[in-house]
Amino acid sequence: MNYILFIGLIAGILTTISLLPQIIKTLKLKETRDISLLWCITIFTGIFLWVIYGFLIKDVPLIVANSVSLILVSIVLFLKLKFG
Amino acid sequence: MNYILFIGLIAGILTTISLLPQIIKTLKLKETRDISLLWCITIFTGIFLWVIYGFLIKDVPLIVANSVSLILVSIVLFLKLKFG
């Protein structure tokens, strides 16, 4: 693996990991009142567009990291829509 | 502007905006007890590496979005180190 790809993947792993505390808290407490729907939609759309952008410029770290992040954020968005 | 660059920039604007509630809350309350230092360091390092990666692959949306995000996260990290 070349070092540029390596840096991109580490970057992606770290920013994806940084989403985990929110996801774990939300899953544990089944409590989404302190999360705004606008925030959920903003970050969901942003990460979704990073995935699209990753595919358009054919960039592996962008695609991989943001696809995983998108799954994590989808869980929060789903719980927010379910619990309000 | 070509449409690929446009999608990347919108992605970057949205994920950067999604950091704002945490920053505003932290600045307003001068209260960082509910933020973990490990989280601050993880997201700071992740975003820092995305900037580096952006420069290495010469990608404008990655550089611009993550540089702004890095400034925002630096504020939280600074306040966390200051207030504990």
XYZ file of all heavy atoms in Angstrom, chain A residues 3-5 7-8 10-12 14-15 17-18 21 39 42-43 45-47 49-50 52-53 56-57 59 61-62 65, chain B residues 3-5 7-8 10-12 14-15 17-18 21 39 42-43 45-47 49-50 52-53 56-57 59 61-62 65:
454
model
N 1.956 5.198 0.728
C 1.763 5.949 1.974
C 0.621 6.962 1.885
O -0.005 7.291 2.892
C 3.085 6.635 2.383
C 3.359 7.954 1.695
C 3.078 9.161 2.328
C 3.877 7.987 0.403
C 3.314 10.374 1.704
C 4.111 9.195 -0.226
C 3.838 10.384 0.414
O 4.062 11.572 -0.206
N 0.305 7.435 0.677
C -0.799 8.393 0.526
C -2.133 7.704 0.851
O -2.953 8.214 1.624
C -0.824 8.990 -0.908
C 0.447 9.811 -1.148
C -2.075 9.849 -1.118
C 0.541 10.433 -2.529
N -2.316 6.510 0.282
C -3.525 5.722 0.555
C -3.614 5.420 2.054
O -4.690 5.514 2.658
C -3.466 4.418 -0.253
C -4.703 3.515 -0.191
C -5.914 4.212 -0.777
C -4.451 2.204 -0.946
N -2.394 7.162 4.600
C -2.806 8.369 5.335
C -4.307 8.598 5.179
O -5.011 8.889 6.153
C -1.998 9.606 4.857
C -0.547 9.479 5.339
C -2.625 10.917 5.362
C 0.381 10.562 4.816
N -4.807 8.423 3.961
C -6.245 8.599 3.711
C -7.080 7.620 4.520
O -8.108 7.991 5.095
N -6.207 6.032 7.351
C -6.124 6.350 8.787
C -7.033 7.549 9.098
O -7.768 7.550 10.095
C -4.668 6.666 9.214
C -3.744 5.462 8.979
C -4.611 7.072 10.692
C -4.037 4.253 9.821
N -6.985 8.560 8.227
C -7.878 9.725 8.392
C -9.325 9.258 8.464
O -10.077 9.656 9.359
C -7.692 10.696 7.223
N -9.699 8.382 7.533
C -11.078 7.889 7.471
C -11.458 7.075 8.684
O -12.568 7.207 9.216
N -10.217 7.362 11.707
C -10.338 8.240 12.878
C -11.626 9.070 12.852
O -12.320 9.170 13.871
C -9.112 9.154 12.988
C -7.792 8.435 13.308
C -6.633 9.421 13.324
C -7.881 7.706 14.646
N -11.960 9.659 11.690
C -13.182 10.479 11.669
C -14.427 9.591 11.775
O -15.443 10.012 12.322
C -13.260 11.402 10.431
O -12.993 10.652 9.244
C -12.253 12.532 10.533
N -14.504 6.705 13.549
C -14.530 6.351 14.974
C -15.132 7.487 15.808
O -15.839 7.250 16.777
C -13.092 6.037 15.477
C -12.664 4.643 15.010
C -12.986 6.126 17.004
C -11.220 4.294 15.382
N -14.852 8.720 15.399
C -15.316 9.868 16.196
C -16.847 9.979 16.199
O -17.419 10.698 17.007
C -14.681 11.171 15.702
O -15.277 11.570 14.491
N -19.175 7.537 19.661
C -19.789 7.869 20.963
C -21.263 8.281 20.830
O -22.105 7.837 21.611
C -18.934 9.046 21.469
C -17.624 8.880 20.785
C -17.924 8.269 19.451
N -29.736 18.448 12.339
C -28.356 17.974 12.422
C -28.213 16.621 11.733
O -27.299 16.403 10.947
C -27.893 17.882 13.891
C -26.487 17.377 14.014
C -25.346 18.108 13.904
C -26.068 16.022 14.241
N -24.235 17.298 14.049
C -24.654 16.000 14.255
C -26.754 14.807 14.428
C -23.908 14.838 14.450
C -26.010 13.647 14.625
C -24.606 13.680 14.633
N -28.438 17.071 8.006
C -27.248 17.763 7.484
C -26.069 16.804 7.368
O -25.430 16.699 6.308
C -26.855 18.926 8.418
O -27.971 19.797 8.547
C -25.677 19.710 7.858
N -25.771 16.095 8.448
C -24.599 15.215 8.417
C -24.844 14.014 7.498
O -23.946 13.595 6.765
C -24.155 14.788 9.850
C -22.754 14.179 9.797
C -25.122 13.861 10.523
C -22.060 14.069 11.128
N -26.724 13.953 4.739
C -26.589 14.421 3.359
C -25.127 14.714 3.028
O -24.634 14.369 1.949
C -27.437 15.703 3.130
O -28.745 15.473 3.631
C -27.521 16.064 1.661
N -24.413 15.353 3.972
C -22.996 15.662 3.763
C -22.174 14.402 3.506
O -21.422 14.325 2.524
N -22.348 13.411 4.370
C -21.567 12.170 4.220
C -21.983 11.429 2.947
O -21.147 10.895 2.214
C -21.723 11.277 5.474
C -21.082 11.984 6.676
C -21.062 9.918 5.259
C -21.288 11.293 8.005
N -23.007 12.773 0.207
C -22.362 13.464 -0.925
C -20.861 13.174 -0.988
O -20.283 13.102 -2.074
C -22.622 14.972 -0.857
C -24.063 15.398 -1.162
C -24.226 16.901 -0.999
C -24.483 14.984 -2.575
N -20.209 12.992 0.186
C -18.785 12.602 0.175
C -18.618 11.229 -0.494
O -17.639 10.989 -1.201
C -18.196 12.544 1.585
C -17.694 13.851 2.142
C -18.122 14.436 3.294
C -16.661 14.712 1.620
N -17.431 15.616 3.512
C -16.534 15.806 2.500
C -15.860 14.674 0.483
C -15.626 16.847 2.297
C -14.950 15.710 0.263
C -14.845 16.771 1.168
N -20.632 9.920 -2.822
C -20.835 10.173 -4.260
C -19.561 10.799 -4.845
O -19.057 10.368 -5.894
C -22.016 11.171 -4.484
C -23.310 10.637 -3.888
C -22.177 11.492 -5.981
C -23.878 9.442 -4.587
N -19.037 11.809 -4.148
C -17.817 12.497 -4.609
C -16.654 11.507 -4.697
O -15.888 11.522 -5.665
C -17.497 13.638 -3.646
C -16.272 14.438 -4.044
C -16.293 15.244 -5.173
C -15.097 14.387 -3.291
C -15.173 15.973 -5.552
C -13.977 15.115 -3.660
C -14.026 15.904 -4.797
O -12.915 16.615 -5.172
N -17.019 9.566 -7.772
C -16.765 10.403 -8.960
C -15.267 10.620 -9.198
O -14.811 10.627 -10.340
C -17.483 11.758 -8.830
C -19.015 11.688 -8.955
C -19.641 13.028 -8.571
C -19.429 11.310 -10.368
N -14.499 10.796 -8.086
C -13.053 10.991 -8.276
C -12.289 9.669 -8.059
O -11.072 9.648 -8.052
C -12.470 12.117 -7.376
C -12.503 11.750 -5.885
C -13.174 13.450 -7.613
C -11.618 12.665 -5.012
N -11.857 7.620 -5.414
C -10.917 7.687 -4.294
C -11.324 6.690 -3.206
O -12.373 6.849 -2.569
C -10.890 9.122 -3.741
C -9.835 9.271 -2.670
O -8.668 9.504 -3.014
O -10.169 9.093 -1.473
N -10.129 5.833 -0.020
C -10.383 6.238 1.372
C -11.698 7.002 1.542
O -12.440 6.762 2.503
C -9.179 7.139 1.711
C -8.101 6.652 0.822
C -8.790 6.273 -0.460
N -12.005 7.902 0.612
C -13.258 8.660 0.695
C -14.470 7.727 0.628
O -15.421 7.870 1.402
C -13.356 9.671 -0.461
C -12.769 11.052 -0.223
C -12.904 11.911 -1.474
C -13.490 11.747 0.941
N -14.383 5.156 3.978
C -14.639 5.821 5.263
C -16.056 6.388 5.309
O -16.770 6.229 6.305
C -13.619 6.936 5.489
N -19.289 19.926 -12.126
C -20.267 19.412 -11.163
C -19.629 18.514 -10.091
O -20.122 18.417 -8.975
C -21.411 18.699 -11.893
C -21.118 17.269 -12.270
C -21.600 16.215 -11.493
C -20.346 16.965 -13.397
C -21.320 14.899 -11.829
C -20.062 15.666 -13.730
C -20.555 14.628 -12.947
O -20.274 13.331 -13.283
N -18.514 17.865 -10.421
C -17.845 17.008 -9.434
C -17.286 17.855 -8.284
O -17.497 17.556 -7.108
C -16.711 16.183 -10.102
C -17.311 15.219 -11.125
C -15.900 15.415 -9.049
C -16.294 14.351 -11.857
N -16.605 18.941 -8.641
C -16.076 19.870 -7.640
C -17.220 20.425 -6.792
O -17.115 20.540 -5.563
C -15.326 21.009 -8.357
C -14.606 22.023 -7.468
C -13.500 21.364 -6.662
C -14.012 23.156 -8.314
N -20.157 19.050 -6.104
C -20.647 18.032 -5.161
C -19.680 17.907 -3.967
O -20.109 17.861 -2.809
C -20.822 16.659 -5.873
C -22.027 16.732 -6.807
C -21.005 15.514 -4.850
C -22.227 15.498 -7.664
N -18.384 17.917 -4.250
C -17.394 17.830 -3.178
C -17.489 19.008 -2.225
O -17.400 18.841 -1.001
N -20.153 20.974 -1.672
C -21.407 20.904 -0.896
C -21.252 19.862 0.226
O -21.648 20.099 1.375
C -22.619 20.525 -1.796
C -22.831 21.585 -2.888
C -23.889 20.365 -0.959
C -23.243 22.937 -2.384
N -20.647 18.717 -0.116
C -20.385 17.687 0.900
C -19.586 18.287 2.051
O -19.922 18.116 3.226
C -19.620 16.509 0.279
N -18.526 19.013 1.702
C -17.655 19.613 2.710
C -18.361 20.662 3.544
O -18.174 20.719 4.766
N -21.570 20.785 4.221
C -22.536 20.134 5.115
C -21.862 19.432 6.296
O -22.304 19.578 7.440
C -23.410 19.140 4.326
C -24.355 19.783 3.307
C -25.119 18.715 2.536
C -25.334 20.738 3.989
N -20.777 18.688 6.037
C -20.137 17.990 7.168
C -19.431 18.992 8.091
O -19.338 18.765 9.292
C -19.162 16.870 6.713
O -18.273 17.377 5.718
C -19.926 15.687 6.121
N -20.583 22.134 8.634
C -21.707 22.722 9.373
C -22.148 21.798 10.510
O -22.517 22.266 11.593
C -22.901 22.982 8.417
C -22.642 24.231 7.570
C -24.210 23.133 9.185
C -23.728 24.499 6.531
N -22.084 20.487 10.270
C -22.570 19.538 11.287
C -21.711 19.572 12.553
O -22.118 19.054 13.591
C -22.648 18.122 10.716
O -21.356 17.575 10.605
N -23.009 22.764 15.947
C -23.749 22.721 17.219
C -22.838 22.431 18.423
O -22.960 23.079 19.461
C -24.761 21.582 17.000
C -24.936 21.500 15.526
C -23.621 21.893 14.924
N -12.013 11.779 22.451
C -12.828 12.123 21.283
C -12.211 13.332 20.564
O -12.069 13.329 19.338
C -14.277 12.437 21.704
C -15.140 12.826 20.538
C -15.770 11.971 19.663
C -15.443 14.162 20.076
N -16.428 12.703 18.706
C -16.258 14.036 18.936
C -15.106 15.436 20.525
C -16.743 15.137 18.226
C -15.583 16.533 19.828
C -16.394 16.389 18.693
N -9.078 12.257 18.780
C -9.389 11.382 17.637
C -9.871 12.195 16.445
O -9.359 12.064 15.322
C -10.484 10.348 18.024
O -10.043 9.625 19.154
C -10.760 9.389 16.883
N -10.865 13.055 16.666
C -11.428 13.811 15.532
C -10.424 14.851 15.021
O -10.296 15.063 13.816
C -12.816 14.428 15.884
C -13.511 14.895 14.608
C -12.720 15.546 16.897
C -14.989 15.146 14.763
N -7.089 14.599 15.048
C -6.074 13.887 14.258
C -6.670 13.420 12.923
O -6.027 13.542 11.872
C -5.535 12.669 15.040
O -5.176 13.094 16.347
C -4.329 12.058 14.362
N -7.898 12.898 12.980
C -8.561 12.431 11.751
C -8.696 13.540 10.731
O -8.318 13.385 9.566
N -9.217 14.686 11.170
C -9.423 15.805 10.244
C -8.080 16.356 9.761
O -7.918 16.694 8.580
C -10.296 16.900 10.906
C -11.713 16.356 11.134
C -10.353 18.150 10.029
C -12.626 17.273 11.921
N -5.388 14.656 9.316
C -4.881 13.735 8.284
C -5.658 13.861 6.976
O -5.101 13.694 5.894
C -4.910 12.285 8.794
C -3.890 11.946 9.870
C -4.065 10.503 10.343
C -2.457 12.137 9.353
N -6.959 14.197 7.046
C -7.723 14.452 5.814
C -7.153 15.667 5.080
O -7.113 15.699 3.847
C -9.215 14.692 6.106
C -10.073 13.465 6.226
C -10.829 13.109 7.303
C -10.297 12.432 5.232
N -11.496 11.927 7.052
C -11.194 11.500 5.794
C -9.833 12.215 3.933
C -11.632 10.362 5.113
C -10.258 11.084 3.252
C -11.149 10.169 3.833
N -3.982 16.736 5.228
C -2.716 16.247 4.646
C -3.009 15.429 3.387
O -2.398 15.623 2.324
C -1.957 15.334 5.661
C -1.654 16.063 6.960
C -0.676 14.761 5.036
C -0.646 17.154 6.835
N -3.983 14.506 3.525
C -4.352 13.652 2.398
C -4.844 14.502 1.217
O -4.481 14.255 0.062
C -5.432 12.658 2.842
C -5.868 11.704 1.756
C -5.003 10.714 1.289
C -7.141 11.778 1.199
C -5.395 9.839 0.292
C -7.545 10.901 0.207
C -6.668 9.941 -0.247
O -7.061 9.075 -1.243
N -1.949 15.911 -0.504
C -1.194 14.873 -1.221
C -1.876 14.484 -2.539
O -1.201 14.243 -3.539
C -1.009 13.635 -0.334
C -0.040 13.812 0.841
C -0.116 12.625 1.796
C 1.393 13.966 0.328
N -3.224 14.427 -2.525
C -3.911 14.071 -3.787
C -4.390 15.342 -4.509
O -5.091 15.253 -5.515
C -5.086 13.077 -3.579
C -6.258 13.693 -2.805
C -4.616 11.797 -2.889
C -7.543 12.861 -2.883
N -6.638 17.750 -3.776
C -8.092 17.792 -3.919
C -8.671 18.995 -3.163
O -8.616 19.047 -1.927
C -8.695 16.482 -3.398
C -10.177 16.423 -3.645
O -10.568 16.001 -4.750
O -10.950 16.831 -2.759
N -11.872 20.272 -2.543
C -12.905 20.141 -1.499
C -12.357 19.536 -0.206
O -12.699 20.005 0.889
C -13.951 19.209 -2.147
C -13.781 19.429 -3.605
C -12.304 19.645 -3.813
N -11.516 18.515 -0.317
C -10.930 17.901 0.888
C -10.107 18.914 1.683
O -10.218 18.987 2.911
C -10.027 16.721 0.509
C -10.681 15.341 0.408
C -9.660 14.307 -0.036
C -11.281 14.935 1.746
N -12.676 22.003 3.011
C -13.637 21.588 4.035
C -12.924 21.170 5.321
O -13.316 21.568 6.419
C -14.496 20.434 3.521
